[in-house]
Each structure stands twice: as structure tokens, then as C-alpha cells.
Amino acid sequence: QVQLVESGGGLVQAGGSLRLSCVASGRSFSTYNMGWFRQAPGKEREFVATMGRSGSIYYAESVKGRFTISRDNRKNTMYLQMNSLKPEDTAVYYCAADLYRTAHAIDDYWGQGTQVTVSS
């Protein structure tokens, strides 16, 4: 069992930056594939970025070059550095973990989400 808690969301102007954190409790954080997803009002949840336990990284096209995913297995923490933020990045951001599935299919455990609002 893994519990995930996100933090770092907030209100930022377009062009600004935020760094999200996801702290995992439970054992064997390093064995999980981890990912960030987001859901904007009235839209379905969408994949943002993933970092597998092997270190493989994938990004959604919409965030490539602006967002950077990383993890520190010693701290049981995953990060999402978001630069050059746009109003369309406004959403609730969720972290997720999965022992077996990767990338878009990560689905075992979810955090409660953190709100990111980008003003124009």
C-alpha cells in the first residue's frame, strides 16, 4: 500500500514557474513507476509526465520542453518542475504510482491532488 501526498500548487502568472512535490509513504518507493496527471474543469484527466523505476521518462507533447519530472528515492519523493506556465496548464495535478503499469496506464495509487492556476 502506498499513500501519496502532493504539494506545491498555487496561483502564478503566465510565464512563471512552480514545483510540485509528491511524497510517498509506505515501502519500496523505488520499485514504483510514478507519474503526474492533471484534470482541468470540465475535462477528462490527462497524462502529463512519467518516470519509471528504471529512470525512463516520457512527457505529454503539451508540456515537453517546459516541465521536468524527477524523483529522489532516498526521500520517497517525486517532483514536477513547471516552467513557462500557460493559462491552459490550469488544472488539479495528481501524482500516481503503479508497480507494473507505466506511463499513461499508471493507475494503482493516487494522491488527493494540488491545484495549479495560471493567470493570463
Side-chain angles (χ1 to χ4, degrees), residues 11-29:
L11 173 64
V12 64
Q13 287 188 331
S17 298
L18 283 173
R19 188 175 83 150
L20 306 184
S21 299
C22 171
V23 179
S25 60
R27 297 183 298 177
S28 304
F29 173 77

Side-chain angles (χ1 to χ4, degrees), residues 5 8 12 16 107 110:
V5 179
V12 64
D107 197 29
W110 292 87

Side-chain angles (χ1 to χ4, degrees), residues 4-10 18-23 36 77-80 82 93 95 112-116:
L4 304 171
V5 179
E6 304 96 332
S7 63
L18 283 173
R19 188 175 83 150
L20 306 184
S21 299
C22 171
V23 179
W36 288 100
T77 303
M78 176 179 66
Y79 304 97
L80 186 68
M82 305 187 295
Y93 283 70
C95 70
Q112 83 290 349
T114 185
Q115 176 70 48
V116 171

Side-chain angles (χ1 to χ4, degrees), residues 28-41:
S28 304
F29 173 77
S30 62
T31 65
Y32 284 86
N33 299 311
M34 301 295 297
W36 288 100
F37 295 76
R38 66 187 181 187
Q39 187 167 20

